Amino acid sequence: MPERANGTTLVEGRGLRLRLGGHDILQGVDVSVRAGEIVTVIGPNGAGKSMMARALLGLVALDGGTVTRKPGLTVGYMPQRFAVDSVLPLTVRRLMTLTQRASAAAIGAALDEVGAAHLLSRQVQELSGGELQRVLLARALLGDPDLLVLDEPIQGVDVTGQMELYGLIARLRDRHGCGILLISHDLHLVMAATDRVVCINHHLCCEGKPEAVSRDPAYLALFGAQAAQNLAVYTHAHDHSHDLAGEVVEDGHHHDHGDHHHAKKAS
Amino acid sequence: MLEPFLLHGLIAGLGVALVAGPLGCFVVWRRMAYFGDALAHSALLGVALGFLLGVNLTIGVLASSVALALFVLLMQTQRRLASDTLLGILAHAMLAFGVIVVSLMDRVRIDLLGYLFGDLLAVTVGDLYWILGGGALALAALALLWRPLLASSVHEEMARAEGVPVMRVRLGFMILFAVVIAIAMKIVGVLLIISLLIIPAAAMRPFAHTPEAMAALAAGAGVIAVLAGFNGSVEWDLPTGPAIVAAATILFVLCQAAAALWRGVARAARA
């Protein structure tokens, strides 16, 4: 496993099973996050990525499998959807201390870290998509949690902002040493700093270092050639050239999402 | 100087307003007005059962309200009926059964109208102790619950993920709600209680930048509504409960108009 050897395991799910409304959302997924590690979960829309994260956080009742959390684990959670009703007045300052107390200095420092210090007195409902994401990231970060769970942190952010946010998340890991579980459906923007990519589509398709996953037959079958190329582009700008792109164009177009056993080799 | 019975009523009304404002904010934020109606209507049944069993009426109301709150909490875990349908059934069933039980008790005369619309001027010294004691207790409990309750009102899953005991907090809030209903029904009656909770909170929304400010302002707005309603009641012989609610409504309309005017001025200043 390409994990950092020094990190203790913060949270581990084994054989996670979940059925909702007659559909198998999770069919025996294994996943773990260690301290100081960035794990990126990718998969198509509706693949169960968010459910998996919510299961790890103990927010959903599982039909099978076990979740083990490090005793006393502290969590910062940035949910996929966050909308505050306009009837509830809420400044950014007050949002920061929603689940915990914090000094003004700590709040300022956390906002500063994500470049959102100037938003301190703004109403949460008036923030733009990108501003809200930064503030939510700062809020999750406040109080130095052991584990950050970021569900689609770059949604509603323009492309340069996305790069910036990913750079920021990588720096946060380096500075705070926390484990980060990051969920993304933007395949072409899986961050370079990711230690491990976990690709799921109701079950575990493949996992490993970003470059390894981008060449994994299961991954190629699931997302097709173009996505694989884009993933490679971002993680290793000069490493994407001919083998992947050329090969996959020939046999890549009839892959469908249901059929992704390891029959088709991409290189 | 006011007559003692008037003074008792006024103090009781002010006490209720002080706790109804902050609690009402959560009713507004959590969209629980319908739940509150069901709770309040069940209080009438509590009064009737209290009479039948010969126990203290406030305790009867408290018991029936807490029982209903727990029942709703239980029922909301099922998904067959939408919450508003369920609460709509409960609210009106409670009212119907309450009125039926009251009408069957021909040996004791109950002032039905007083329980439905409140009778501030019938507040006894004993009631006053209940209202002030219960109100102070409810305010203290709300202060303790404040942070986790607010966190779970903003984003329940986020709060839960970060260690807020959301279910216990919700249970605590519902019991608190039931206590406030029990002490407030004397003032405005079961049909109007919810308005005393949500109107001051809604009226003050435009002027608040934080949840805490909205709660404090709502308490103040409730006090003004009680004073104005009480005054109108004494002055023009109006029924006090409806007079208080009418005063709160007028305050609400004025506040909305003032806020709209202010926004217009601010926009014009920017342009």
Side-chain angles (χ1 to χ4, degrees), chain A residues 116-248:
Chain A
H118 60 291
L119 300 173
L120 193 62
S121 303
R122 293 270 299 276
Q123 288 286 305
V124 170
Q125 292 91 342
E126 293 165 1
L127 300 179
S128 74
E131 289 171 337
L132 181 64
Q133 296 303 102
R134 280 166 188 277
V135 167
L136 288 176
L137 186 58
R139 195 208 63 82
L141 191 71
L142 191 67
D144 262 324
D146 303 324
L147 174 69
L148 272 182
V149 177
L150 312 175
D151 198 345
E152 307 272 7
I154 59 164
Q155 58 182 331
V157 180
D158 60 37
V159 178
T160 42
Q162 293 179 353
M163 295 292 191
E164 228 179 285
L165 262 181
Y166 272 154
L168 181 64
I169 291 167
R171 285 201 302 281
L172 294 180
R173 185 269 313 266
D174 295 340
R175 206 172 308 165
H176 297 265
C178 52
I180 297 181
L181 181 70
L182 194 147
I183 293 164
S184 171
H185 72 267
D186 279 299
L187 300 167
H188 57 289
L189 263 179
V190 167
M191 50 192 297
T194 294
D195 296 295
R196 203 146 49 86
V197 173
V198 176
C199 172
I200 70 166
N201 186 24
H202 304 298
H203 62 276
L204 190 65
C205 292
C206 52
E207 71 171 304
K209 286 196 171 297
E211 314 88 82
V213 165
S214 73
R215 284 191 288 269
D216 193 295
Y219 172 82
L220 294 174
L222 188 56
F223 293 113
Q226 200 57 44
Q229 187 187 359
N230 286 338
L231 180 73
V233 168
Y234 186 59
T235 54
H236 268 265
H238 46 264
D239 181 13
H240 70 285
S241 41
H242 321 286
D243 48 344
L244 278 175
E247 276 267 349
V248 177

Side-chain angles (χ1 to χ4, degrees), chain A residues 54 57-59 75-77 79 81-91 94 97-101 123 139, chain B residues 28-29 31 146-148 150-151 153-162 164 202 205 208-212 214:
Chain A
R54 293 173 65 224
L57 292 170
L59 298 177
V75 174
Y77 178 41
R81 272 179 291 273
F82 187 89
V84 179
D85 200 307
S86 62
V87 81
L88 204 167
L90 196 63
T91 56
R94 187 63 186 83
T97 54
L98 211 51
T99 58
Q100 61 189 328
R101 291 174 188 282
Q123 288 286 305
R139 195 208 63 82
Chain B
V28 170
W29 297 333
R31 300 168 179 274
W146 189 272
R147 183 182 302 274
L150 183 69
S153 302
V154 170
H155 200 291
E156 190 168 295
E157 287 220 318
M158 196 175 80
R160 241 174 96 195
E162 296 182 1
V164 174
R205 168 62 187 95
H209 289 285
T210 61
E212 288 76 16
M214 183 161 151

Side-chain angles (χ1 to χ4, degrees), chain B residues 112-126:
Chain B
L112 184 59
L113 222 54
Y115 283 109
L116 290 179
F117 296 105
D119 193 354
L120 199 62
L121 306 183
V123 170
T124 65
V125 176

Side-chain angles (χ1 to χ4, degrees), chain B residues 27 30-42 65-73 76 83-84 86-88 90-91 170-171 173-178 181 194:
Chain B
V27 177
R30 296 173 72 98
R31 300 168 179 274
M32 289 175 80
Y34 227 161
F35 169 79
D37 260 336
L39 210 54
H41 292 179
S42 77
S65 303
V66 170
L68 182 99
L70 294 178
F71 179 71
V72 170
L73 203 61
Q76 277 173 343
S83 205
D84 66 326
L86 179 70
L87 290 175
L90 277 175
R170 191 192 298 175
L171 181 67
F173 176 66
M174 284 186 164
I175 292 173
L176 188 59
F177 203 166
I181 294 281
I194 277 305

